[in-house]
């Protein structure tokens, strides 16, 4: 093996991850060996309206609050389908984003090269490399329960991007409109009531994908004891480990490696 090949995809070094969410834009430098933040993250509220230009300016502010090398890899998460940097959907964000090249817009505002990735893909990838699905071979499905439902499908360490399993149509409904954490909140469901919806959702998902492991992320996963034990599934289902760092960590990792483990 040549010296170059040997060092190409090792874990050494730092990359910068940014999580663009509906209420906050958060960023931190990440140690790619451990998957931990090198410094405390910075959070700035998401500007309203959250137009591409306003959001890109805020991302630049987050980046500028750190003293970063010019060539540090930068990854940003975005809650939409991202194809080659371009947002294709806007389920829970301003419609102005559809067709926007997220990577190029943020790249121009920061004066840096940026990789853009779907939020659940970033979080899921981080769980596979550093968290709950570390060293799990085969098919891992990470599902994030939040405002929407996000999904990441990782097969033997390779991410299959933009799976969008929150938008499966189940019993005539867009799945996330019934089973997301926002639906629980909106309809004031108890955890037991919500678990029935999750039971239906995950049963459909496991029958379609037959994963080896399901990891449940999103803010509510810290309350996993209140709903995961109520689920009766064939597939092993566990809570995420990286909590709200997952998006930042996954985006940084993907920016540095292009998705190769
Ligand atoms: C979007 C996905 C996103 C998920 C979580 C869904 O509504 O379509 O792209 O990953 O919400 O934010």
């Amino acid at each position: 093996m040549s010296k170059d090949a040997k060092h190409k995809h090792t874990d050494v070094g730092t990359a910068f991850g940014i999580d663009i969410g509906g209420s906050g834009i958060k960023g931190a430098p990440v140690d790619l060996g451990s998957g931990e933040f090198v410094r405390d993250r910075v959070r700035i509220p998401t500007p309203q309206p959250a137009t591409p230009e306003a959001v890109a300016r805020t991302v630049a502010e987050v980046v500028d609050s750190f003293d970063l090398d010019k060539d540090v890899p930068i990854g940003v998460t975005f809650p939409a389908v991202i194809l080659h940097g371009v947002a294709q959907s806007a389920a829970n964000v301003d419609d102005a984003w559809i067709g926007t090249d997220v990577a190029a817009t943020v790249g121009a505002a920061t004066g840096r090269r940026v990789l853009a990735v779907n939020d659940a893909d970033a979080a899921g990838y981080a769980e596979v490399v550093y968290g709950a699905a570390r060293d799990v071979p085969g098919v891992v499905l990470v599902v994030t329960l939040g405002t929407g439902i996000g999904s990441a499908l990782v097969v033997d360490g390779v991410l299959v991007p933009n799976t969008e399993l929150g938008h499966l149509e189940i019993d005539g409904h867009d799945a996330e409109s019934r089973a997301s954490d926002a639906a629980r909140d909106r309809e004031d469901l108890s955890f037991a009531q919500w678990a029935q919806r999750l039971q239906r959702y995950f049963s459909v998902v496991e029958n379609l994908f037959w994963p080896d492991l399901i990891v449940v992320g999103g803010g509510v996963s810290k309350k996993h004891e209140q709903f995961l034990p109520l689920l009766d599934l064939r597939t092993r289902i566990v809570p995420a480990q990286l909590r709200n760092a997952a998006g930042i960590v996954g985006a940084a990792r993907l920016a540095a490696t292009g998705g190769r483990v």
Side-chain angles (χ1 to χ4, degrees):
M1 194 189 274
S2 77
K3 191 166 168 274
D4 269 8
K6 233 183 179 165
H7 291 284
K8 221 171 174 176
H9 304 307
T10 50
D11 279 350
V12 281
T14 301
F16 195 82
I18 299 157
D19 195 343
I20 301 179
S23 59
I25 296 177
K26 297 147 267 178
V30 175
D31 177 322
L32 298 175
S34 63
E36 281 165 11
F37 293 173
V38 176
R39 308 238 318 264
D40 284 350
R41 66 163 208 186
V42 164
R43 178 186 189 278
I44 300 181
T46 306
Q48 300 301 336
T51 59
E53 295 67 32
V55 167
R57 271 197 303 274
T58 305
V59 171
E61 248 185 86
V62 171
V63 171
D64 289 343
S65 30
F66 296 86
D67 185 21
L68 297 177
D69 276 1
K70 211 57 205 154
D71 54 359
V72 67
I74 295 193
V76 299
T77 74
F78 196 74
V81 172
I82 301 286
L83 279 188
H84 311 293
V86 181
Q88 311 287 331
S89 63
N92 296 303
V93 292
D94 196 304
D95 276 353
W97 282 94
I98 297 179
T100 298
D101 190 326
V102 179
T105 308
V106 173
T110 56
R112 294 161 182 273
R113 214 177 118 84
V114 168
L115 174 122
V117 58
N118 169 266
D119 57 352
D121 281 344
Y125 194 66
E127 290 295 336
V128 168
V129 179
Y130 304 106
R134 189 173 180 165
D135 298 328
V136 176
V139 177
V140 174
L141 185 65
V142 183
V143 173
T144 62
L145 302 170
T147 309
I149 293 182
S151 58
L153 185 65
V154 184
V155 186
D156 287 327
V158 177
L159 173 68
V160 181
N162 297 309
T163 46
E164 291 294 317
L165 300 186
H167 299 296
L168 280 173
E169 188 182 312
I170 300 179
D171 304 328
H173 299 276
D174 186 29
E176 71 174 26
S177 72
R178 308 264 302 158
S180 66
D181 191 37
R184 177 180 71 87
D185 212 31
R186 201 170 48 236
E187 298 183 44
D188 206 12
L189 302 175
S190 66
F191 275 104
Q193 289 168 322
W194 187 49
Q196 289 177 10
R197 303 224 180 147
L198 293 176
Q199 174 68 33
R200 177 80 183 122
Y201 178 68
F202 284 117
S203 303
V204 170
V205 166
E206 72 171 356
N207 286 338
L208 291 174
F209 290 89
W210 290 78
D212 292 288
L213 176 70
I214 297 176
V215 178
V216 177
V220 73
S221 67
K222 62 174 177 285
K223 300 187 187 149
H224 60 92
E225 276 130 359
Q226 305 206 50
F227 58 95
L228 286 190
L230 305 181
L231 302 182
D232 180 17
L233 299 166
R234 172 197 321 118
T235 315
R236 191 156 72 89
I237 184 163
V238 298
Q241 274 174 13
L242 300 184
R243 301 279 152 79
N244 53 9
I248 292 175
V249 172
R253 172 80 187 199
L254 286 162
T257 64
R260 285 168 291 261
V261 197

